[in-house]
Amino acid sequence: MRAEPLPTSPPSVSPPSAEGRAPARGRGPGSPPPGIERAGVEPVPVDRRHGRPRSLFTLWFGANVQFATLSVGALSTSVFGLDLLPAVFAIALGTVLSAVMVGLLSTRGPLTGVLQLIQTRGPFGRLGALPSAAFTVVNGVGWCVVDTLLGMFILRDLTGLGFAPALLLMAAAQLTVAVLGYRMIHAVERGLALALVVVFAVVSVYGFGEAHATAPTDPSGGPVTAFVLVTAVTAARGLGWSAYASDYSRYLPATARPRRVFLAAGGGSALAGLWIGALGAAIGTVAAVDNPSTMVSGLLPHVLGTVVLGALLLSTLASTVIDLYSGAMAALAAGFALPRWVSVLVVGGLGTVLSWYAGHGDFAARLQDFLLMTGYWLAPWGAVLVTAYWWRERGLHDTARLYDSRHRFGWGLPSVLIALLAEIPFMNQSLYTGPLAAAHPAVGPFGLLVGFAVSAAAYTRAELARATLYTSTEPCAMCSGAVYWSGIGRVVYALGEDELLALTGADEEAFLSAAIDLAARSRKEGNHPFGSLLVLDGTAVLEAGNTVTTGRDATGHAETNLVRLATAAYTRAELARATLYTSTEPCAMCSGAVYWSGIGRVVYALGEDELLALTGADEENPTMALPCRTVFASGQRPVEVSGPHLHDRAAAVHAGFWTGAGA
């Protein structure tokens, strides 16, 4: 990290205008048709921000109250063989983990007004973010294929259409909504949210009513393996949304509270995901997931089943348009010079073509493979973003850097690649099985967690290695060790250790002089000539003198009096940082008081042996020949001691006192 002023609006940092062209009020040759969203990858201007965080609740609730969520939930019991109750717990865990990610990333939208993938450029760099953009396109196309196939299942059951007509009809409906853009998507999700609640409430009555407590098949790797696998697959389904999270919150005003954005986006995802996922698990105990539409309609009376399938078709449409919209935005973020609406058509067309080829085969097995494969990338990718924006750059929202052509690479991509290597032994699906997963199937699903942890650790270490710690004073031995083990790569300090020692030496003399002055004051007040001062973080905070005579208390020594005041006023942690300055080395009693108080350091002027030479056998002060260092060394915690200092001045306060001249 270099300490340098941010450039003031450099030409290379200026965000591009809408669709890569200069903004214009009228329609130009390259303008989209009326009603189609114009915005591309540029930040949303403040004057175009609108809406409230609660709109995210209906968006993400509607996006998760859909057929794909039901189908993934059904895998838990019908394919993985987990009994209903543990399946629901596993689905809940996976749903919450992914919903937290969606909620966190959504909070960045109002703060920056920027697409999720453009924000990826922060920790990844402009070129380093290209693989993330490519993955998001693939992810969008993949989910388009999944939802298109689910929609086709329904269309064929409802209308009897053939494969090709059903495919084309689904594609046309999906592309129409996605092309119209952000406002239309929010309107569709808002309109469907209430209707789908009613529909799935009806399905819940039949689904939960007919459900069995046990799964129709035994878990191949045991119940623990099945539980972890269901958690991983469920989390992977929800993590798929995180790649788009701020795309749908970037239009909110910058004043939108992050907490409300998090609760709305994460809450909508979690509530819908848990409900529909658990419903899918219940239905999976009584019906096969080979044909998802008949899995549902088989539970219902014919007319009701037709209505429900129609609603499920709409929910599938609503889900697909989100994937198409953000997949198209990812293509723009990757640098393709296309209008957004054209990019939607390209991505949707690719998804339609792939749906043609993927429409035959084992739907459940392919869905499981797709979920795990996307999760292997999304978990490390999400870990980098969370580490970057909620630790490394917490509270910073520098959008100019996201468009800086000089910021080509960051440590995000290497961290993700390291995590992918760490995930390989855990991979467990039909395309590839890692050695660790092959030998111990139960640990395979932990690959996503391993990827998240490794990526976060790698990014943290890499960022610390290029970080600089600026400090006013050269670090002490303890702090230097902490810096070394943290991985921080560079330290810059202003004041050297030797220079500090010279300065603190002057402070030591001033504080000791103040303690000696307190001793002189105690003598004038009719007490023995001793005084003490407590210094905390460089400031004198308490003082005390001797009160043996006036207080008629043989234990009223200056240090003991000061300890009583200190322990009543400060915590033990604060006293550990404090220094007690005293005109004379503490006696055994006062040393014990200092030890038990927790005070960390003692500095004295006149030594105990020097005081003995002055007092002799005076009955007023039968000095014990027991140095305070010996007392402290007998304890279980260290107390730093410095002294004697300022002998002549400290001894002068006692002149004539012990012979009766000062009485």
Side-chain angles (χ1 to χ4, degrees):
M1 178 189 296
R2 291 193 296 271
E4 57 185 35
L6 290 174
T8 305
S9 302
S12 61
V13 180
S14 299
S17 61
E19 305 291 359
R21 300 183 298 275
R25 289 186 180 275
R27 290 184 58 199
S31 297
I36 293 178
E37 180 189 1
R38 299 176 59 92
V41 298
E42 73 284 353
V44 178
V46 175
D47 59 356
R48 290 182 57 196
R49 304 287 192 90
H50 57 84
R52 296 182 179 180
R54 65 189 182 194
S55 65
L56 295 175
F57 182 89
T58 55
L59 172 78
W60 290 115
F61 186 88
N64 285 274
V65 176
Q66 41 106 349
F67 210 0
T69 311
L70 191 77
S71 300
V72 173
L75 293 177
S76 64
T77 50
S78 65
V79 175
F80 301 144
L82 200 59
D83 290 340
L84 181 57
L85 187 58
V88 171
F89 280 118
I91 289 169
L93 179 58
T95 298
V96 169
L97 291 175
S98 59
V100 167
M101 186 67 72
V102 170
L104 281 175
L105 296 180
S106 293
T107 63
R108 297 283 302 178
L111 296 174
T112 61
V114 172
L115 288 167
Q116 189 66 69
L117 268 173
I118 298 298
Q119 294 186 42
T120 301
R121 292 177 180 176
F124 283 76
R126 195 179 182 94
L127 297 181
L130 291 181
S132 296
F135 169 82
T136 303
V137 174
V138 172
N139 188 53
V141 170
W143 276 108
C144 175
V145 171
V146 171
D147 288 325
T148 299
L149 292 178
L150 289 171
M152 285 174 53
F153 281 128
I154 298 173
L155 272 177
R156 295 175 70 179
D157 283 352
L158 287 176
T159 65
L161 287 173
F163 184 90
L167 173 62
L168 294 175
L169 187 57
M170 278 294 300
Q174 294 162 352
L175 289 172
T176 299
V177 178
V179 162
L180 291 176
Y182 175 91
R183 289 178 180 267
M184 175 59 73
I185 291 172
H186 265 282
V188 169
E189 295 291 352
R190 195 161 47 243
L192 284 176
L194 181 58
L196 291 175
V197 167
V198 175
V199 167
F200 276 103
V202 173
V203 177
S204 296
V205 172
Y206 287 89
F208 287 117
E210 298 289 335
H212 299 155
T214 57
T217 183
D218 293 328
S220 58
V224 175
T225 302
F227 184 93
V228 178
L229 184 58
V230 171
T231 302
V233 168
T234 304
R237 183 201 66 80
L239 283 174
W241 295 122
S242 66
Y244 322 140
S246 70
D247 296 7
Y248 302 97
S249 61
R250 64 189 178 125
Y251 278 94
L252 292 175
T255 54
R257 294 184 180 180
R259 182 172 178 270
R260 291 184 177 180
V261 173
F262 173 82
L263 292 176
S269 298
L271 185 60
L274 176 56
W275 174 26
I276 306 304
L279 177 58
I283 295 175
T285 63
V286 295
V289 74
D290 297 335
N291 187 333
S293 63
T294 57
M295 176 184 73
V296 174
S297 61
L299 293 173
L300 306 171
H302 177 69
V303 175
L304 183 58
T306 301
V307 173
V308 167
L309 287 180
L312 291 179
L313 180 62
L314 292 177
S315 76
T316 301
L317 170 65
S319 173
T320 310
V321 295
I322 291 181
D323 297 304
L324 287 176
Y325 178 85
S326 288
M329 285 299 187
L332 297 181
F336 289 100
L338 295 172
R340 184 202 61 80
W341 63 280
V342 174
S343 181
V344 169
L345 293 176
V346 172
V347 172
L350 181 59
T352 302
V353 171
L354 290 177
S355 298
W356 179 275
Y357 291 102
H360 305 87
D362 188 342
F363 173 79
R366 292 184 179 180
L367 177 59
Q368 176 186 342
D369 287 345
F370 173 70
L371 289 170
L372 290 175
M373 291 300 293
T374 56
Y376 292 139
W377 174 273
L378 285 168
W381 171 84
V384 168
L385 290 189
V386 169
T387 304
Y389 289 130
W390 281 271
W391 170 73
R392 186 77 178 86
E393 300 178 16
R394 185 173 183 179
L396 300 179
H397 317 300
D398 181 16
T399 57
R401 182 167 174 256
L402 303 179
Y403 296 93
D404 188 349
S405 60
R406 298 167 299 179
H407 178 47
R408 294 182 176 87
F409 291 99
W411 284 106
L413 183 58
S415 301
V416 169
L417 295 178
I418 291 171
L420 288 173
L421 291 176
E423 288 177 331
I424 288 176
F426 295 87
M427 292 183 177
N428 188 9
Q429 22 79 41
S430 63
L431 300 177
Y432 173 77
T433 301
L436 190 58
H440 307 283
V443 303
F446 285 101
L448 301 185
L449 182 60
V450 170
F452 187 96
V454 169
S455 182
Y459 183 77
T460 300
R461 189 73 178 180
E463 284 293 295
L464 284 174
R466 71 185 186 92
T468 299
L469 186 150
Y470 292 89
T471 177
S472 60
T473 309
E474 182 179 1
C476 66
M478 178 188 72
C479 295
S480 298
V483 171
Y484 173 81
W485 288 110
S486 74
I488 293 175
R490 184 167 174 253
V491 174
V492 177
Y493 60 86
L495 193 66
E497 183 80 3
D498 53 343
E499 299 168 312
L500 175 64
L501 184 60
L503 290 176
T504 55
D507 289 340
E508 300 271 69
E509 182 174 343
F511 290 136
L512 271 180
S513 295
I516 294 171
D517 290 342
L518 288 171
R521 189 174 73 187
S522 293
R523 177 174 177 171
K524 289 180 180 179
E525 293 174 351
N527 291 294
H528 295 177
F530 301 99
S532 295
L533 187 74
L534 188 72
V535 174
L536 180 61
D537 298 333
T539 302
V541 292
L542 290 174
E543 61 181 38
N546 182 283
T547 57
V548 168
T549 303
T550 58
R552 296 179 179 273
D553 180 3
T555 65
H557 292 198
E559 298 91 343
T560 299
N561 288 339
L562 186 66
V563 165
R564 291 191 181 104
L565 295 173
T567 54
Y570 296 99
T571 66
R572 197 168 182 85
E574 290 171 321
L575 291 177
R577 306 196 311 267
T579 298
L580 185 148
Y581 293 87
T582 182
S583 61
T584 308
E585 181 178 0
C587 68
M589 177 189 73
C590 293
S591 297
V594 170
Y595 174 83
W596 288 109
S597 72
I599 291 172
R601 184 167 179 259
V602 171
V603 179
Y604 63 87
L606 192 67
E608 181 80 358
D609 55 340
E610 297 168 321
L611 176 64
L612 180 59
L614 292 175
T615 63
D618 194 304
E619 63 179 13
E620 288 288 321
N621 192 57
T623 299
M624 299 174 66
L626 185 60
C628 68
R629 288 182 173 88
T630 302
V631 176
F632 294 140
S634 302
Q636 297 183 40
R637 73 169 186 89
V639 178
E640 183 182 345
V641 178
S642 177
H645 305 287
L646 306 180
H647 172 272
D648 292 342
R649 185 173 176 197
V653 179
H654 295 267
F657 182 84
W658 302 110
T659 62

